[in-house]
Amino acid sequence: MLYDQAVAIVMCDLGDKPEQRAAQSALKSTLMTAHRIERDLKADLEVLKDSMMRFWRDRKIDPELTPHEQKSIKQDNQALKIQRRDWLRQVYVPSLQQIGLSMNKIKALIKESRGLFYLKDDGIFLADHTKLAEIYVGNAAFEEKSDATNGAIRPIYQKKGILRIRIDKREATEYIKDDFGRMTRRYAYVEKNYDVFKLILEAVDGLSGKNVGVLGVQEKLHGNAFRIGPGTLKKWDLGDKKVGTNLDFRQLAHINQEEGSTVQRAHPLSSTSKHLHGNEGYRFGRHDGVKLKIDLAKIPIGKRTRDPASMGVTDQALLNLYSWDAQYGNPDFQTIGVATKNKTGTVDTNADVMKAHSDNSTGKNRELMLLRFPRDAIVQVLCHDETAINEVKMMMQDAHLGHVAVLHEAHAALHNSELYE
């Protein structure tokens, strides 16, 4: 849940109490109706987002137009980009953060019962003090599944009680814990260009971020995603740290989020299968690319190789960056911002502003960070180009993943102008 802690409601066994059981049934119906309304609100918001981003898409620049006409369209496109960015940041994310059956909304529902029910401590009671339901909050709202299968490495959890079943599905949503112990949906999704997808399949030990190990102009990471290069030290306020030393976990997560399009230290994933947009409103992926479904239960748990006290270097990392627990939970583990520096070396944007910007962006796409991408965690491949399916199936077989479903699904973009160039 983006804006508040997870909540689970477990109905009490009332035995042979017909009047109380009737009231309990009415309570359950009320809660499930509210749950369904919240789901419908979220679905409607996603439809609105797709429509707005498509309506404000860039105009095509015809090379046969005069330079003046082309300049005018470029200016229009810049204004459209600002409209998309501001709507996503100021309307979409705040609206998304208000959706979900939180404790505050449950309290409001109970208040509307006009004394029929009341809340006390960890339960919902009838006016005659019969306890009708238990309420669990945070990690206590989840229970470990005992029948986890299919090569799971991390324990699998599901919500307790009546809210575990999704309205649009018959099965319960499954969860795992990230490396800071935060509940995260078991399955994640990511768009990949075809050439990057090939690299993932070729990397037997897992693919690192695209700039790890690359001796680029900006950074020299030397195979270490945590390494501080000269470009990083110049841009970010890292205190007394020097070139060649390491970022800690949370610094890495923030800087990777802010610089991911230029220096990618880790892979961004999403906890939702819905169509995603970048901060400027462009859709991720390509018409000839693929969309991967990843089973996070198959992601190895990171082993700290140094600086464990400061959450430093590890051979693996999976972090949830968008949930309430990630952004507002335990202060020792919640997301942070890193202040930026100007050309003179003084701070120009403080850490709190940077955290708010990053949290808004990761909340928009329900974002996770994965340090190393193991190919064995792929459980489905959606080819946007139907003609590529047979080739992809052969590639999967060569990577010993012939059992993974390879299907066709056209990219959500109807126009090339909806995509990043």
Side-chain angles (χ1 to χ4, degrees):
M1 189 178 292
L2 251 66
Y3 65 99
D4 207 344
Q5 291 179 288
V7 177
I9 300 173
V10 179
M11 292 297 164
C12 298
D13 183 2
L14 298 181
D16 187 20
K17 297 181 180 180
E19 292 183 3
Q20 288 85 347
R21 288 175 64 183
Q24 185 186 59
S25 179
L27 172 65
K28 180 178 179 181
S29 177
T30 298
L31 292 169
M32 293 305 294
T33 298
H35 185 43
R36 186 175 294 105
I37 289 172
E38 297 297 322
R39 293 287 182 182
D40 289 345
L41 286 172
K42 183 180 288 187
D44 291 344
L45 181 62
E46 294 300 323
V47 171
L48 178 61
K49 182 192 71 167
D50 284 352
S51 298
M52 299 302 288
M53 295 302 101
R54 183 165 289 142
F55 179 73
W56 285 328
R57 69 182 182 275
D58 287 356
R59 294 172 57 196
K60 183 178 179 180
I61 300 177
D62 190 332
E64 295 185 3
L65 295 175
T66 66
H68 176 74
E69 290 171 326
Q70 291 187 33
K71 181 179 179 180
S72 178
I73 293 176
K74 288 180 181 178
Q75 291 174 339
D76 289 345
N77 285 346
Q78 182 62 28
L80 289 168
K81 184 187 296 184
I82 293 172
Q83 281 184 291
R84 295 192 302 264
R85 181 200 66 196
D86 289 350
W87 190 88
L88 288 169
R89 184 181 301 169
Q90 299 171 12
V91 178
Y92 174 73
V93 174
S95 298
L96 188 65
Q97 289 173 333
Q98 296 304 312
I99 296 175
L101 194 57
S102 65
M103 274 303 299
N104 284 336
K105 291 185 179 180
I106 292 173
K107 289 176 182 178
L109 287 172
I110 299 304
K111 187 175 181 179
E112 290 175 3
S113 74
R114 299 183 182 276
L116 178 60
F117 309 116
Y118 68 91
L119 275 171
K120 182 181 178 182
D121 299 329
D122 57 353
I124 302 176
F125 293 78
L126 197 56
D128 67 1
H129 309 304
T130 300
K131 191 172 189 178
L132 302 180
E134 300 271 5
I135 295 179
Y136 300 89
V137 179
N139 277 12
F142 300 85
E143 59 188 3
E144 186 172 348
K145 291 186 69 175
S146 59
D147 58 346
T149 55
N150 298 328
I153 297 173
R154 296 174 184 245
I156 298 171
Y157 302 83
Q158 63 184 10
K159 263 191 178 181
K160 300 173 182 176
I162 63 174
L163 301 182
R164 73 168 57 177
I165 304 297
R166 292 183 56 180
I167 300 300
D168 57 341
K169 294 184 177 181
R170 293 186 177 182
E171 72 274 12
T173 300
E174 295 179 331
Y175 299 83
I176 54 93
K177 289 182 179 180
D178 78 349
D179 284 15
F180 283 168
R182 299 181 290 233
M183 288 296 177
T184 302
R185 289 181 182 179
R186 176 179 179 178
Y187 295 102
Y189 305 84
V190 65
E191 293 274 356
K192 290 294 184 183
N193 294 347
Y194 202 64
D195 55 346
V196 177
F197 173 55
K198 289 181 178 179
L199 291 176
I200 292 172
L201 295 185
E202 293 170 0
V204 177
D205 296 325
L207 185 67
S208 300
K210 68 180 180 181
N211 294 102
V212 178
V214 176
L215 302 182
V217 176
Q218 289 182 299
E219 294 297 271
K220 295 179 174 61
L221 300 181
H222 299 285
N224 177 8
F226 293 82
R227 191 176 191 274
I228 298 173
T232 301
L233 198 62
K234 183 177 181 180
K235 179 177 180 180
W236 301 96
D237 182 16
L238 298 172
D240 297 332
K241 291 190 176 183
K242 303 181 184 301
V243 171
T245 59
N246 292 314
L247 301 167
D248 69 33
F249 251 154
R250 296 188 295 171
Q251 290 173 334
L252 168 64
H254 176 79
I255 291 174
N256 186 71
Q257 169 65 25
E258 294 293 324
E259 290 190 339
S261 59
T262 54
V263 181
Q264 188 194 74
R265 297 168 179 266
H267 299 274
L269 307 177
S270 173
S271 279
T272 177
S273 60
K274 296 178 175 64
H275 308 307
L276 304 180
H277 296 82
N279 291 337
E280 295 178 343
Y282 296 108
R283 293 184 185 274
F284 294 110
R286 312 297 301 175
H287 286 295
D288 59 353
V290 298
K291 182 176 182 178
L292 305 178
K293 181 179 180 180
I294 302 109
D295 185 354
L296 300 180
K298 296 183 178 182
I299 302 296
I301 298 173
K303 296 179 181 178
R304 307 289 166 80
T305 55
R306 70 182 86 126
D307 299 333
S310 62
M311 299 175 290
V313 177
T314 176
D315 65 340
Q316 182 57 274
L318 171 65
L319 297 185
N320 180 322
L321 304 178
Y322 74 92
S323 68
W324 185 92
D325 285 333
Q327 297 186 1
Y328 306 107
N330 186 330
D332 293 332
F333 298 108
Q334 68 180 227
T335 57
I336 63 169
V338 180
T340 60
K341 299 189 293 188
N342 57 29
K343 293 181 180 180
T344 66
T346 58
V347 171
D348 61 358
T349 306
N350 67 45
D352 289 341
V353 172
M354 292 306 299
K355 172 177 165 59
H357 179 269
S358 184
D359 285 352
N360 184 284
S361 179
T362 55
K364 170 171 57 66
N365 289 331
R366 284 72 109 197
E367 204 158 326
L368 315 171
M369 185 194 79
L370 180 61
L371 197 63
R372 187 180 295 274
F373 198 128
R375 64 185 187 182
D376 292 343
I378 299 172
V379 292
Q380 185 185 72
V381 181
L382 296 179
C383 296
H384 298 319
D385 179 4
E386 190 171 13
T387 64
I389 286 181
N390 288 336
E391 180 181 359
V392 169
K393 286 182 176 179
M394 292 179 62
M395 291 164 54
M396 297 294 284
Q397 289 177 352
D398 291 341
H400 307 289
L401 296 172
H403 60 283
V404 173
V406 178
L407 308 170
H408 170 248
E409 180 182 84
H411 194 282
L414 301 181
H415 311 272
N416 287 331
S417 57
E418 296 178 54
L419 301 171
Y420 282 109
E421 294 182 358

